Amino acid sequence: MTKLKADEREDLSTWARIHVRGGYEDIEEIEELLQELTEDFDSLISERDRHIEVRNALIVAVRTLVEEQEAWPVLTDYDRLELALDTLEDHGIVTRANFTCCGNCGAAEIGAEIEEFEELGRKARGYVFFHQQDTESAVEGHGLYFSYGATHSDLDVAHVAVAQELFDVLQSVGLKPHWDGKLDHRVGVVLDWKRRWTGDVPTPLKRWSF
């Protein structure tokens, strides 16, 4: 088996860990993402060997997480985060997690999510989201940051009110948000990202496909 370079394998391991712990893709999606990411590696490696490297990295990431979560508390910070987002939606704030690749794309696409929300007969007062780069940052222990805004008002006070509601709800579920009250600053929250893996542990690939 042709091997990846040490730094390439380390990068692959990091990506596998982030996506597995993020928990927003199923195992097939993560494996496909890792395959795409490794296409830019310099190592001369066969397609089959690359698949094996990716699968092995996935196995380690999933097994490590499954072992760790046995010692987790019943209610984790991630569970509290989900509760906060559900509470906001119940009160007319459209919430989206791991939404688009970045903040600019999220701001461009949240309008469609608001329209879909209101098509179901509910009035949207505002929106809150964090994007995929935010998820990666949270998984790596750097906290989570939210974009926000009002939906039917251009007044600064309306946007600030949505941010304050987000802040208050995060605090009410036992998390530790931080925000200076300024419209041009995102609401942040300190949390220990612990999201349980509920899928299967992938199986190793054979050296040969037959």
Side-chain angles (χ1 to χ4, degrees):
M1 174 178 173
T2 307
K3 295 182 179 181
L4 296 176
K5 298 176 183 176
D7 61 331
E8 293 174 337
R9 185 173 285 118
E10 183 177 349
D11 286 345
L12 176 57
S13 176
T14 298
W15 291 334
R17 179 174 53 81
I18 289 174
H19 283 284
V20 166
R21 290 177 182 263
Y24 289 105
E25 303 98 4
D26 60 31
I27 198 69
E28 290 80 11
E29 290 176 300
I30 297 174
E31 189 159 28
E32 185 175 340
L33 283 168
L34 296 180
Q35 293 283 5
E36 293 175 359
L37 289 167
T38 57
E39 287 177 359
D40 293 330
F41 284 171
D42 294 329
S43 293
L44 297 177
I45 185 171
S46 71
E47 192 70 11
R48 183 66 180 175
D49 287 345
R50 189 157 59 86
H51 286 181
I52 292 173
E53 290 274 10
V54 166
R55 178 64 61 85
N56 288 345
L58 265 179
I59 291 171
V60 171
V62 173
R63 284 180 176 171
T64 301
L65 177 55
V66 169
E67 290 173 4
E68 286 182 13
Q69 67 192 33
E70 291 297 319
W72 289 359
V74 174
L75 187 66
T76 69
D77 281 355
Y78 177 79
D79 297 325
R80 293 183 174 89
L81 173 64
E82 279 202 320
L83 177 57
L85 296 180
D86 288 345
T87 299
L88 288 168
E89 283 240 334
D90 288 343
H91 290 85
I93 305 294
V94 178
T95 64
R96 295 294 180 266
N98 201 54
F99 180 63
T100 73
C101 62
C102 65
N104 288 337
C105 291
E109 297 181 29
I110 194 63
E113 302 297 313
I114 294 168
E115 289 181 8
E116 183 177 332
F117 184 89
E118 295 193 326
E119 284 173 359
L120 298 175
R122 302 179 61 192
K123 182 74 171 180
R125 297 186 296 107
Y127 67 85
V128 165
F129 71 84
F130 62 88
H131 51 70
Q132 292 166 15
Q133 292 176 23
D134 293 325
T135 302
E136 293 174 10
S137 178
V139 171
E140 292 287 79
H142 304 305
L144 187 64
Y145 288 85
F146 300 85
S147 298
Y148 58 84
T151 53
H152 298 290
S153 175
D154 291 329
L155 297 175
D156 288 357
V157 65
H159 298 301
V160 169
V162 173
Q164 186 63 56
E165 187 169 352
L166 166 62
F167 183 97
D168 293 342
V169 169
L170 289 169
Q171 198 168 54
S172 73
V173 299
L175 293 174
K176 298 177 180 178
H178 51 89
W179 178 55
D180 60 7
K182 295 182 179 179
L183 179 60
D184 56 347
H185 290 173
R186 302 173 79 195
V187 176
V189 63
V190 176
L191 79 170
D192 184 6
W193 187 280
K194 285 186 169 71
R195 182 174 185 175
R196 289 178 173 81
W197 181 265
T198 58
D200 296 329
V201 177
T203 56
L205 287 174
K206 297 179 180 179
R207 176 66 183 85
W208 306 105
S209 58
F210 50 84

